[in-house]
Structures are given as structure tokens and as C-alpha cells.
Amino acid sequence: MAHVPTAPTGDTGKRVTVNGIDMYYEERGTGAPVLLLHGGIVDHRSWRFQIRELAQHFRVLAPDTRAHGRSTDTGQPLSYELFAADVVAFLRALGIDRTHIVGFSDGGATGLLLGAEQPALVDQLVCISSPYHTSNYREGIIEFLAKITPETLYRTVGPEYRTAMTMAEALHPNRESWLAFWRRVVNGLWTRQPDMPLDRLADVRVPTLVLHAEHEQFYAREHSEEMARTIPDARLEIIAGATHAAPLERPNEVNAAILRFLSERCGSNRSMTTGAARL
């Protein structure tokens, strides 16, 4: 059954039809486009610290992935390939030929596929807390994800990401809808994908910044290091003090790293600086 999102008072976004779904997105700022691809389970609001900062320099587009947030769903199996196809259709629908992409976790996995398969669409890529293959996960994580309940994950992550998940849950019409969605994403998709072979990363021929959290719970630093080594034009930065949810936990540091990276290659934005993150 297709996910039917609610539209609370204060809904300020737009919608566009792509690949049979009604995709919701927020748009802020002007200039070169930056596409923000959020992580699994949550929605575009998990980028709240980044949207306001980046929108001072760029045209920021923050969609809800299919079946997530306020975007609808066709009920077909979820995959990063499907998410990537939705992104391509989304950009075409908006008449955008090329964009920077910043992806967190699931969004970064989608970004890697786009960098490998649609490099003409991607100006620069930032991957935050993003594995490229399920083999990256620490021992026992796949088994953990196959059985985990929302309550268990709420106790595992920090308060910022717990709040983002609670906000996403509130958009579902009832508990049964939320749990069905949870099973599709957490107990399903996350146990099967991403599945990009290491040598496939060599096809990501776009400038790439890999951001790894110092205290990442799900996979080791060595996998981010090998990602940065294998992508032809990539570098690795460590976000000190952060766990998996770095954009929410260390927004100032994440924003500064993104802006430094983008400014190096955007001549008109070389003077960009970042201030304190604000709600």
C-alpha cells in the first residue's frame, strides 16, 4: 500500500510527480543548486541545521525520499537504485542539468550511485556517514538491523536523531503504518544494501568529500578511508566527537567542512564562511 503522508499546518514545501510518486521537497536560497539527500527513516527536516546555513550561499533542494516523510510510494521494493532513479527524474522535472549533492547515510549511498552512473548530473559529492556495501558494517550489525524495533534504536542513537525519527513517525496515520514502513527500510533494505563493490567506486568520477564520524557506531573508519582512496578525486575528513548522526550532533563542523569543500571549486563562493548553526 502506498504511504499517504499528512500535511501539518506550516507545510511550506512543493511537490512534483516523479516515477509514479508524489515527491515533496523544500527549497531555500538562490545560486548553484545543492541537493540534500537525507538518511533512512527520517525526512528532509533532519537537515534543519544545514538548510539554513547552505541556503545563504546556494539554492538548496531538500526532498523527502520515496516512502519517507511527505513523499508517497508505489509499494515496490525499496533500493538505492530506485532512489537514484527518483533523483534523476526529480532533477529533470525541475530543469536542473547539474547539481552538488550532499548525502547522509542512505542519502550518501544514493549519491555514490549517482556519481558512478550519472556523473554529468553531479558537480561535487559529499558523503556523510555513508557505507558503500553491507560488508562495511561491524560484526553483528546486519543481524541487529534484521530484528531491531523502533524502541531499541531510539535507545541506541542520540537525542537529536531520536527527535528526527519521532517527527517522521508522527507523519504516519497509525502505529501499524509506521511499523510496516520500519520493516521495509530497517529490517529489509538496510540488511541487503548498499551493495556497491569496492572497485565500482573508481567509477565515481566527481570530486568527493567523505565525512566520517569519530565515534561512528555502524562501521569502521577503514571503510571510509578505502572509499576516499578508491574514488579518483576524493578526500576524507573526520568529524571529531560525532557519532553516526554527525549533521545533527556537530552541525557547525559538518557545515564548515561542506562549505570549505564546495568553495574550493566554486569561484564565486570562495569567500564563504559558516557561522553557528541555528534552528
Side-chain angles (χ1 to χ4, degrees), residues 247-269:
L248 286 161
E249 296 172 346
R250 293 291 188 273
N252 289 346
E253 293 86 343
V254 168
N255 293 348
I258 294 170
L259 288 171
R260 279 196 306 270
F261 180 68
L262 297 183
S263 69
E264 290 172 3
R265 302 169 190 266
C266 297
S268 62
N269 291 319

Side-chain angles (χ1 to χ4, degrees), residues 87-201:
V87 169
V88 173
F90 173 78
L91 293 173
R92 287 175 177 163
L94 270 60
I96 296 173
D97 297 323
R98 194 168 178 85
T99 183
H100 303 298
I101 292 179
V102 179
F104 164 65
S105 193
D106 280 25
T110 301
L112 288 170
L113 281 174
L114 291 164
E117 298 174 1
Q118 300 285 342
L121 285 177
V122 185
D123 196 349
Q124 298 175 91
L125 173 64
V126 180
C127 293
I128 308 169
S129 301
S130 301
Y132 62 85
H133 196 279
T134 54
S135 63
N136 299 160
Y137 291 120
R138 300 182 190 276
E139 184 176 357
I141 291 293
I142 294 296
E143 293 77 12
F144 171 75
L145 293 174
K147 300 177 180 179
I148 193 173
T149 64
E151 290 70 29
T152 301
L153 191 57
Y154 289 161
R155 292 193 297 270
T156 302
V157 299
E160 299 88 355
Y161 205 67
R162 186 161 57 246
T163 296
M165 290 193 294
T166 301
M167 292 167 65
E169 179 179 3
L171 292 178
H172 283 258
N174 51 54
R175 176 72 172 174
E176 290 72 24
S177 171
W178 171 247
L179 291 177
F181 169 66
W182 183 274
R183 287 189 289 269
R184 290 179 70 200
V185 178
V186 179
N187 308 138
L189 173 63
W190 289 0
T191 65
R192 303 189 310 268
Q193 291 190 349
D195 56 1
M196 180 179 282
L198 177 60
D199 59 4
R200 181 79 167 111
L201 292 175

